[in-house]
Amino acid sequence: MYERLLPMILILASGLAWRLVLPGGIPMQQVRQVLNTLVINLLVPALIFGVFLNAHPEPALYRVPLVALVTISVCLGAGLLVFGAMLRAGHLTRAEAGAAVLAVGFGNGLGAALAVVEGLFGGTATRVPLMYEMFATVPVHWSLGVALAAWFGGAAVGWKSALVVLRMPPFWATLVALAVNASGVVVPDSLVHAFGVLGQASVPLLLFVVGSTFTFKGLSRLSVLVPVVLLRPVLGVAVCLLAARALNLDGTLLSATAIVAAAPSVAVGIAICERFKLDSALFTAALTVTTVLYVVVAPYLQGWIG
């Protein structure tokens, strides 16, 4: 059952091992910064062009972001209710509550989910996490997510933070690729193939970065981690299935969307927590737990939905 996910597991483990050993003595934070810059600015846009220029997307694919927006909204709202109540009861600090809300609200569609969907459903299904990420997770995370992080951290945040998505090459690559595809312009197969080959490097590097963030510290904080697990993958999948079926998604599209909805906490949340003085250690622990559970549960989830 797990043979299709074995490459993903090994790459995650190699990221963790690299951080522990540090070959070459280069600080792990510097390695992650370089890899993230390369992936976001070059490799993911190439992946997007390779995927969306390869064939015309089915019309139902455009409903995926709507399902994603509903799922994110409900998970964020539930996180605010649960961890807000724990904050008012004195069981959490503002820094802990803010980190927990971010961990619940946003999944890692470009990291773990992309690799899992590709492993379970094949390369053509990678359109689902890309649409989910580019037109739902990224815009909401870099606007409302940042605003919530600033509020919990007691910092002011300007309206310009919501425009960061407009400076992200993957967002524009998705728009351009969909526009070219819809226009009927014929792109040479050799160019599409080149994009695909270059983009294939993005998935292992993203997984390597995620694995390098794994930590064994903070895993005993069950009073916070258990609600995160119940809200992030469990509630996320339940809401996603209800919304997807209401919008008439079915087959592989339904299954792949639900797999993305269950994705672990987004890795960039660590940087957001550090920027606004939230509990980054708690967020990293939540990222570790949800990622490991995601890899274990995803094949069963596919069989259950299918």
Side-chain angles (χ1 to χ4, degrees), residues 214-238:
F214 283 0
T215 181
F216 301 105
K217 298 178 181 178
L219 297 182
S220 61
R221 301 165 76 173
L222 297 180
S223 62
V224 184
L225 294 179
V226 170
V228 168
V229 169
L230 292 176
L231 295 177
R232 169 92 289 281
V234 178
L235 179 63
V237 170

Side-chain angles (χ1 to χ4, degrees), residues 156-192:
V157 59
W159 61 269
K160 290 184 179 180
S161 64
L163 301 181
V164 70
V165 65
L166 300 180
R167 300 197 299 270
M168 299 186 70
F171 178 77
W172 292 106
T174 307
L175 290 180
V176 171
L178 290 173
V180 171
N181 199 313
S183 70
V185 173
V186 178
V187 180
D189 290 339
S190 58
L191 182 58
V192 175

Side-chain angles (χ1 to χ4, degrees), residues 2 38 54 57 68 70 102 127-128 168 184 187 222 230 232 277:
Y2 291 101
L38 173 65
N54 192 39
V70 172
L102 288 184
R127 298 173 186 180
V128 173
M168 299 186 70
V187 180
L222 297 180
L230 292 176
R232 169 92 289 281
K277 296 181 175 57

Side-chain angles (χ1 to χ4, degrees), residues 1-92:
M1 178 181 292
Y2 291 101
E3 61 272 9
R4 289 177 292 177
L5 298 183
L6 183 58
M8 172 185 178
I9 295 170
L10 292 176
I11 295 170
L12 288 169
S14 69
L16 173 60
W18 190 282
R19 194 194 80 224
L20 296 176
V21 178
L22 284 182
I26 302 175
M28 197 65 233
Q29 185 174 1
Q30 184 178 345
V31 173
R32 281 198 290 260
Q33 183 178 10
V34 171
L35 291 180
N36 280 326
T37 300
L38 173 65
V39 167
I40 294 301
N41 290 286
L42 176 62
L43 300 183
V44 168
L47 174 68
I48 290 168
F49 283 126
V51 169
F52 286 106
L53 295 180
N54 192 39
H56 291 288
E58 53 186 305
L61 184 66
Y62 294 98
R63 299 178 208 149
V64 170
L66 297 178
V67 175
L69 288 171
V70 172
T71 304
I72 292 169
S73 299
V74 173
C75 287
L76 265 181
L80 286 169
L81 287 174
V82 171
F83 298 115
M86 294 176 71
L87 172 63
R88 289 190 295 274
H91 298 306
L92 295 177

